[in-house]
Amino acid sequence: MTSELLPSDPSRIAGYRLLARLGEGGMGVVYLGRTDQGALAAVKVIQAEYAAEPDFRARFRREVEAARRVTSPWAVPVTGADPDADSPWLATAFVPGPSLAEAVAACGPLPPRCVRVLGKMLAGALDAVHAAGLVHRDVKPGNVLLALDGPRLIDFGIARSADDTAITSADMIVGTPGFLSPEQAEARGAETGGPSDIFSLGCLLAYAATGRPPFGAGAVDALLYRTVHDEPDLDGVDEETAGLLARCLAKDPAERPTAAELDEGLVDDAPEDSVDWLPDDVVRMIAERSTEMLALPDIEPTRADAASDETPAAEAAERQASASRRKFLLAAGGAVILAGGGVGAWAALRDDSSPAADNAAQARGWTIGVQADLSGENKAAGRAQEQGARLAVEQFNSRRDKPFNLGLKALDDGGSPARAPAVAKQFTADRRVLAVLGPTGDETARAVLPTYDEALLPLIAVSPGAMDLPKADNRSFLAARPGDAMVSVPLGLYPAAEHKSARPGLLQDRTAGQYGWESVTIANYGMRAFGRVPYPRVVPANLEDFKPVIADMLKAGVDSFSYCGYAEGAGRFARDLAAAGFTGPRIAPQAVLDSQFVESAGEAAEGWMLAASFVDPAAVPAAKTFTSAFRKRYKAAPGYFAAEAYDVVNLVIQQLVAHHKQQRSVPDRRTLVGLLRRSSYRGITKPYAFRPEDGRFKAGGVFYHRVEDGAFRHVGPAPSTW
């Protein structure tokens, strides 16, 4: 967590403007800094008494030079240093996530695969540290920071020698050594080399797996004695991991594996720019901590209406709304049955099928359900999904070779999280319902997950995209689209990779809350992956006048804009951007692909690029037959998500027919969940495939749309990774 600068703190160190305090230790203070180009850094400034010691400066200089040679994606890189300054300083890349110690303390021990993946990445980091001639000397949970794309090992040996490793440092976990090697515990300085780091890593991984240090806690002398003489406590560690940790925790340094050997021995794959290896509660903690600490939301937000008395109130309202969303996210993992149900809610539910259609469906046999917003704010998307699904069922029933008949039952939840669980209960209580498409939005999806999970009824989400929905403890969920984070990848790559933008501008609108933060974070990663440092700005919720923000960004040399927010704000931003004469690359996420944007922006919307998880079937050759059939059936062009719902129903039908052909029966719900999660299907919109363990979509499926002549024009596939 950050804290405000003290009056005695400097405002700048070399090329870094200091913005806040990150922490203070025995040798100095660590600040949050930012370069003039917008890059963030953790800047460690050494205290004067150490700076006055020539030997200290010499050691510091040698270790800075060595640290610059450390190259690993899992070790925080040095971005600048001056050991000869009056106050020697060192800058490393800033990681906004929580430490491993904080994550385990808040969320409990990590699952076995997570521990092994973590060990593999940290072993790779230590291999790079050792290859650079360094010994870390302080591998502990507090020195491992968790980020969206993996952990980062920090503070590797800087300004420390083997002789001055602190064995009673106050910043150790629970005030005890806990993670020291026997060599360190006995102050055998000359023997404290690479194997000492491996022992400490073994302690760290044991802590991650069990939530406790392997040599216990208590009095320092007793703990150090146990470290040197006793066997580690690995009770609760899975057998595969325990064997490897026992080697790391050998008393004899010569018997421990090297970092490279440990990396090779841990075969679990490291994450590929995803958080899939971490438990969902830790992912949420990373997101929340990043929201609070990361520069983009919190560092120098541009207050275009700073003189207005309404701004603090708006920001306070946003903070309260964010807190409510976070509480809801945490509650969504359990049984969320909201107040406001009962007789009134049940009476308000509208079954979109007529009584005759219901009777016909029952006579035909098995049913596919559609839970959707058919009357609320997102009714256009809900209606499109219901229509696409119904067309797929009708076409199947028209086939002469069909092995059975299908019905389709659509229920309206109005897009209300309070009403949605009652709709889910109707579907789960109907044993003829084999699978359900929906709901339409993220909040309603979170509200119904417990109900569908309890019944093990497959729930296939066509439009929701929040990153916390697909997770291992949701047993029946499948995401039929890439998540919002992956859909936001083009926001970084479109300006940085496709237009070679020298200074991309990155704007987060706080009106969009968590969605805006996810979009801006992923865009930031994508830009930096191509060597572009964005110029970030954040604006208060519901900002009316973007002109001062735009003027500031253009003055800084911004030559492209990635807007991260909702359609309403994007319309105002587009108008003000056009008024400033800017016509370069402009891109926004899926939430902006809404008629409200073009209606609000008018001519200023022309040329904007949007990234989305759906297609316009009228512009996709493979969907020509579908588009024609849809127009014939509904006397209108298909809306967004209609073709995707059509695809998903045909995916379900594919699995039902295949199982019926082999077993001469329709699969039960539990079996169908497994079949769907292991399935692959080439739809008219995109390929479909899922991760079997959590139902996460894994087949690409991101598309560009551009505003032309006041309408959205489908362009084609867009990148979903960098």
Side-chain angles (χ1 to χ4, degrees), residues 384-654:
Q385 291 177 50
E386 184 270 330
Q387 291 172 336
R390 191 175 296 280
L391 180 61
V393 168
E394 290 175 351
Q395 289 182 345
F396 173 76
N397 288 330
S398 69
R399 289 169 44 183
R400 292 187 176 183
D401 62 342
K402 62 184 182 297
F404 49 80
N405 286 310
L406 278 177
L408 186 129
K409 184 176 183 179
L411 292 177
D412 178 21
D413 61 24
S416 167
R419 289 172 51 183
V423 173
K425 286 183 177 180
Q426 288 197 51
F427 279 126
T428 58
D430 185 349
R431 300 307 300 176
R432 293 180 177 272
V433 176
L434 296 173
V436 175
L437 272 67
T440 309
D442 294 336
E443 298 295 339
T444 46
R446 294 186 184 105
V448 301
L449 278 173
T451 303
Y452 285 105
D453 265 3
E454 183 179 1
L456 276 174
L457 177 58
L459 179 67
I460 312 169
V462 176
S463 52
M467 72 177 188
D468 64 301
L469 291 174
K471 54 185 179 182
D473 54 353
N474 285 338
R475 302 180 298 164
S476 63
F477 182 79
L478 292 93
R481 52 155 286 194
D484 289 332
M486 293 302 98
V487 177
S488 294
V489 167
L491 272 67
L493 300 196
Y494 178 72
E498 298 184 33
H499 284 273
K500 311 299 181 185
S501 174
R503 195 70 185 281
L506 191 52
L507 184 77
Q508 180 189 351
D509 189 334
R510 282 185 170 170
T511 310
Q514 185 74 9
Y515 178 81
W517 174 83
E518 288 182 15
S519 298
V520 83
T521 301
I522 295 300
N524 176 46
Y525 276 121
M527 291 173 180
R528 292 176 184 273
F530 280 84
R532 301 296 192 270
V533 177
Y535 187 81
R537 279 295 176 266
V538 181
V539 296
N542 304 311
L543 183 67
E544 292 291 337
D545 184 6
F546 286 87
K547 295 184 184 68
V549 183
I550 292 170
D552 172 75
M553 298 179 81
L554 292 176
K555 184 179 179 181
V558 165
D559 56 3
S560 67
F561 283 88
S562 295
Y563 171 87
C564 301
Y566 291 149
E568 183 178 3
R572 294 193 295 270
F573 178 71
R575 292 198 307 269
D576 288 346
L577 192 59
F582 185 85
T583 59
R586 294 147 291 162
I587 188 168
Q590 178 169 306
V592 178
L593 211 164
D594 185 282
S595 60
Q596 186 179 24
F597 172 60
V598 292
E599 292 167 2
S600 172
E603 293 184 0
E606 291 296 308
W608 272 77
M609 193 73 80
L610 294 307
S613 65
F614 50 78
V615 303
D616 176 0
V620 178
K624 182 178 180 180
T625 301
F626 162 80
T627 303
S628 177
F630 191 98
R631 287 181 178 275
K632 182 177 180 180
R633 171 67 171 82
Y634 297 108
K635 314 303 180 190
Y640 294 137
F641 290 117
E644 286 76 12
Y646 177 88
D647 274 347
V648 168
V649 170
N650 280 312
L651 164 63
V652 175
I653 289 173
Q654 170 187 273

Side-chain angles (χ1 to χ4, degrees), residues 233-249:
D233 174 14
L234 299 179
D235 186 29
V237 182
D238 68 285
E239 184 177 352
E240 178 184 351
T241 308
L244 197 57
L245 294 187
R247 292 181 58 207
C248 296
L249 296 172

Side-chain angles (χ1 to χ4, degrees), residues 70-77 121 124-126 128-129 152:
V70 176
T71 55
S72 169
W74 316 124
V76 174
M121 291 184 282
L126 284 178
V129 170
R152 298 293 190 276

